[in-house]
Amino acid sequence: MQLSISKWYKILAPRPVVLISTVNIRNNPNAAPFSFVMPCSTEPPLVAFASDPDHHTVKNILETKDFVVNIPSRKLLKQLWTCANDFPYGVSEIKKANLTEEKSIKVKSPKIKECFAHLECKLYKHYRAGDHLLIVGKVLRADIDEKYLLKKQYSITKADPLMHISGTEFGVLGKVIKVR
Amino acid sequence: MQLSISKWYKILAPRPVVLISTVNIRNNPNAAPFSFVMPCSTEPPLVAFASDPDHHTVKNILETKDFVVNIPSRKLLKQLWTCANDFPYGVSEIKKANLTEEKSIKVKSPKIKECFAHLECKLYKHYRAGDHLLIVGKVLRADIDEKYLLKKQYSITKADPLMHISGTEFGVLGKVIKVR
């Protein structure tokens, strides 16, 4: 059956959802959730995401050339949803959501402390793609909360990352299946 | 704790996994799994994925300018894994995996019948991104198997899509959570 083309992206789901934190030239922080996100190179390490070009996140990245990809657990769903609100420019969604800004090591944009992992990124390239802007960042540093390691390896079941389905629907990982 | 930068993409998971089918100029079909994939525009409808530039999928797309994004259910895990094999150029992974090629409506690349949804795409843009090529396709037609609709809407729990975690580890959707 043919599906309405305007809703096609609902079937490419669930997708990882991340909080992207930035600062503007006056050093005011911003954070917003994105689920049009993917890794796109291993060496150099590059991550891509797509955003409405008028979004404060894009404005800040084009001004200050860096951002942090913060990865939230299931328990941060309410805070993530608060960050999706359209607060006035310059207002910190991080504070509005009662989350904690933490200084990054390699970039000006702050990390969100409560997220279990952080990718500190420098703007690498950006391209217009239809009604979105495709932003590619180079990962300068990746950090993970030690609580989510098992035998020194990242444990996805411990971290329990959030995924976006559509609208107000989110999902979490169910069964893990191994091939062979 | 700092994470090895070469493994950073393992924490941006689980990711939707799709089978991308293509043809070469001699009309020989090919299919391979990809999980570096995301929607990147709603109007026009654009989908992006990243691939090793030497991959047969890329060679075919650059030759014939189209591809199909096929979305597999959990039950297709073994067949998807077969498609990940490095068969010689021109050999159809679709046949090797005992899957069925079906004629597409808008593009030359075939659909894989057993997948629950299909996005017929025309090459829109491609960009070099580190060690990968970023391919952006325009979705010309989206189809879904009616079995996976509930009250005429796509039901993700009925479709039970596969996600990739890392290496041989895959996942399926667990609990669906609604905000508010």
Side-chain angles (χ1 to χ4, degrees):
Chain A
M1 197 197 81
Q2 195 174 355
L3 199 71
S4 160
I5 205 99
S6 67
K7 303 285 184 215
W8 73 271
Y9 60 88
K10 289 180 190 284
I11 55 172
L12 192 58
R15 299 178 298 270
V17 62
V18 299
L19 276 166
I20 296 188
S21 49
T22 54
V23 282
N24 66 12
I25 38 167
R26 289 177 180 180
N27 223 32
N28 293 319
N30 188 281
F34 291 89
S35 75
F36 290 4
V37 60
M38 67 176 188
C40 74
S41 168
T42 54
E43 184 46 47
L46 301 178
V47 61
F49 76 100
S51 171
D52 175 342
D54 296 328
H55 201 287
H56 296 162
T57 298
V58 168
K59 188 170 156 52
N60 288 355
I61 292 173
L62 297 181
E63 271 178 18
T64 59
K65 316 290 184 205
D66 69 42
F67 59 98
V68 177
V69 178
N70 302 273
I71 307 182
S73 285
R74 173 204 310 228
K75 62 185 178 195
L76 292 185
L77 177 60
K78 275 191 180 169
Q79 291 91 325
L80 178 129
W81 195 250
T82 300
C83 290
N85 276 295
D86 192 20
F87 294 113
Y89 179 65
V91 169
S92 170
E93 289 79 5
I94 307 175
K95 281 191 184 117
K96 287 279 180 191
N98 287 318
L99 293 169
T100 316
E101 288 163 26
E102 198 171 60
K103 221 175 143 43
S104 292
I105 291 161
K106 300 276 191 182
V107 299
K108 294 179 288 291
S109 300
K111 298 190 282 191
I112 299 172
K113 193 181 173 185
E114 290 79 0
C115 289
F116 70 82
H118 310 93
L119 308 171
E120 298 184 26
C121 302
K122 201 178 114 180
L123 177 62
Y124 182 80
K125 287 274 170 68
H126 58 98
Y127 310 100
R128 186 76 195 216
D131 56 14
H132 278 55
L133 200 74
L134 197 53
I135 304 240
V136 180
K138 184 173 174 189
V139 183
L140 301 182
R141 186 184 162 102
D143 275 282
I144 190 159
D145 186 327
E146 287 181 39
K147 280 198 298 253
Y148 304 111
L149 299 179
L150 193 69
K151 295 176 187 163
K152 293 185 178 169
Q153 296 288 316
Y154 167 55
S155 165
I156 198 166
T157 47
K158 278 191 164 199
D160 201 12
L162 260 183
M163 295 177 276
H164 191 217
I165 297 173
S166 180
T168 57
E169 282 194 346
F170 289 79
V172 290
L173 179 62
K175 208 177 158 190
V176 174
I177 317 165
K178 270 208 165 197
V179 276
R180 278 173 184 173
Chain B
M1 196 196 82
Q2 196 173 356
L3 200 72
S4 161
I5 204 99
S6 67
K7 303 285 183 216
W8 73 271
Y9 60 88
K10 289 181 190 283
I11 55 172
L12 193 58
R15 298 177 298 270
V17 62
V18 299
L19 276 166
I20 295 188
S21 50
T22 55
V23 282
N24 65 14
I25 38 170
R26 290 176 179 179
N27 222 31
N28 294 319
N30 187 280
F34 291 90
S35 75
F36 290 4
V37 60
M38 66 176 188
C40 75
S41 168
T42 54
E43 185 45 47
L46 301 177
V47 61
F49 77 100
S51 171
D52 175 343
D54 297 328
H55 202 287
H56 296 162
T57 298
V58 168
K59 188 171 155 52
N60 288 355
I61 292 174
L62 296 182
E63 271 178 19
T64 60
K65 318 289 184 206
D66 71 41
F67 58 98
V68 177
V69 178
N70 302 273
I71 307 184
S73 286
R74 175 205 308 231
K75 62 184 178 197
L76 292 185
L77 177 59
K78 274 191 181 168
Q79 290 90 326
L80 178 128
W81 196 248
T82 300
C83 290
N85 276 296
D86 193 20
F87 293 114
Y89 179 66
V91 169
S92 170
E93 288 79 5
I94 307 175
K95 282 190 184 117
K96 287 279 180 190
N98 288 317
L99 293 168
T100 316
E101 287 164 26
E102 199 170 60
K103 220 174 143 45
S104 293
I105 292 162
K106 300 276 192 183
V107 298
K108 295 179 288 291
S109 301
K111 296 190 282 190
I112 299 171
K113 193 181 174 186
E114 290 79 1
C115 289
F116 69 82
H118 310 94
L119 307 171
E120 297 183 27
C121 302
K122 199 178 115 181
L123 177 62
Y124 182 79
K125 287 276 171 66
H126 59 96
Y127 310 99
R128 186 76 196 217
D131 56 16
H132 278 54
L133 200 73
L134 198 53
I135 304 240
V136 180
K138 183 172 173 187
V139 183
L140 301 182
R141 187 185 161 102
D143 275 282
I144 190 157
D145 187 327
E146 288 182 37
K147 279 200 298 255
Y148 305 110
L149 297 179
L150 193 69
K151 297 176 185 163
K152 294 186 178 170
Q153 295 289 313
Y154 167 55
S155 165
I156 198 166
T157 47
K158 278 192 166 198
D160 201 11
L162 259 183
M163 295 177 276
H164 191 217
I165 297 173
S166 180
T168 56
E169 282 193 345
F170 289 79
V172 289
L173 180 62
K175 208 177 159 190
V176 174
I177 317 166
K178 270 208 164 195
V179 274
R180 280 173 184 173

